Amino acid sequence: MRMSNRLSLLRAAVMVAVLLVVSSVAYGQSGGQTTIIDDWSQIAIPSPPELRSVTVNSTTTALLILDMQNNLTDPSVRPRAAMSIPAISFLLSKARAHSMLVVYSNTPGASPSDIVSALSPLPGDPVVRSGVDKFFRTDLEQILADHGIRTVIVTGTAANGAVLYTATGAALRGMKVIVPVDGMSAEPEYVEQYVAWHLLNSPGTRNAATLTRSDLILFTAD
């Protein structure tokens, strides 16, 4: 190797070493690299997603009502959950009128009698009990498969718990997921905002999820 090439390589190596030392010192003095926490207040909020009208086939669609229990919808503690009851009740009446499958869930330790009276299950309605993912250690997947379900309308509380994880679980199992934003709830409102964004942008759900509103869902038997 020529002397000039060796000198060039040596200079480059020295320059890299100096930069590493300077960066290391700066990193230590600043307390670490700038993180998402440091930039939190400067991050722009995404534009709100569009709510879409959707028509579902009542024979291949199920309505999921997740964790709508008295203790989780107390208006003095969780007002947004209480506010979602009329929208879910509206969808429930439509589902009943079209003889759709309705599946309920409870949190661990709760029972069907704990579900709010406006949304009470009928005898024969499946009720599963689990944590945030209602597919986890339940027969929900088998229930849906046995009824030929290809689409689920996911409602309930909390948006960042049962709704998000169960909607993701359904999408990962090849189902279409419809989430009426007036039928999901969380405290505070930011959580609902985040979940709405997540459902349309997460790799697990973005190709399967539709955001809508209860009055924008139409039912057909075709």
Side-chain angles (χ1 to χ4, degrees), residues 159-160 163-164 184 190-200:
N160 58 325
V163 172
L164 177 58
M184 70 174 192
Y190 169 76
V191 179
E192 292 180 30
Q193 182 185 51
Y194 157 71
V195 172
W197 182 92
H198 182 105
L199 287 167
L200 293 185

Side-chain angles (χ1 to χ4, degrees), residues 38-63:
D38 301 301
D39 295 336
W40 197 277
S41 63
Q42 304 172 39
I43 297 172
I45 299 174
S47 300
E50 178 184 358
L51 299 182
R52 299 183 178 277
S53 298
V54 60
T55 299
V56 299
N57 185 327
S58 59
T59 61
T60 58
T61 302
L63 173 63

Side-chain angles (χ1 to χ4, degrees), residues 39-190:
D39 295 336
W40 197 277
S41 63
Q42 304 172 39
I43 297 172
I45 299 174
S47 300
E50 178 184 358
L51 299 182
R52 299 183 178 277
S53 298
V54 60
T55 299
V56 299
N57 185 327
S58 59
T59 61
T60 58
T61 302
L63 173 63
L64 308 187
I65 300 178
L66 307 179
D67 296 354
M68 292 298 290
Q69 301 165 186
N70 292 302
N71 64 319
L72 299 180
T73 59
D74 182 342
S76 66
V77 180
R78 303 190 68 192
R80 294 193 66 79
M83 288 168 55
S84 73
I85 293 175
I88 301 175
S89 179
F90 173 77
L91 286 173
L92 178 59
S93 65
K94 292 289 188 180
R96 299 289 192 208
H98 288 82
S99 302
M100 273 178 51
L101 175 67
V102 181
V103 183
Y104 292 81
S105 78
N106 282 128
T107 59
S111 65
S113 61
D114 295 314
I115 296 170
V116 296
S117 59
L119 305 173
S120 293
L122 297 178
D125 285 339
V127 183
V128 301
R129 186 169 63 183
S130 186
V132 292
D133 180 1
K134 301 307 175 179
F135 288 96
F136 183 66
R137 294 181 177 176
T138 74
D139 55 356
L140 177 57
E141 183 173 6
Q142 190 61 54
I143 292 169
L144 298 176
D146 288 346
H147 287 81
I149 299 301
R150 298 195 293 269
T151 301
V152 289
I153 302 172
V154 184
T155 67
T157 197
N160 58 325
V163 172
L164 177 58
Y165 284 86
T166 306
T168 302
L172 293 176
R173 288 167 172 83
M175 285 173 264
K176 294 296 183 182
V177 175
I178 297 170
V179 180
V181 293
D182 54 344
M184 70 174 192
S185 58
E187 312 290 340
E189 294 94 331
Y190 169 76

Side-chain angles (χ1 to χ4, degrees), residues 8-32:
S8 296
L9 290 174
L10 180 60
R11 290 193 189 98
V14 170
M15 183 65 70
V16 169
V18 170
L19 289 172
L20 288 174
V21 170
V22 171
S23 298
S24 178
V25 171
Y27 185 89
Q29 290 176 345
S30 67

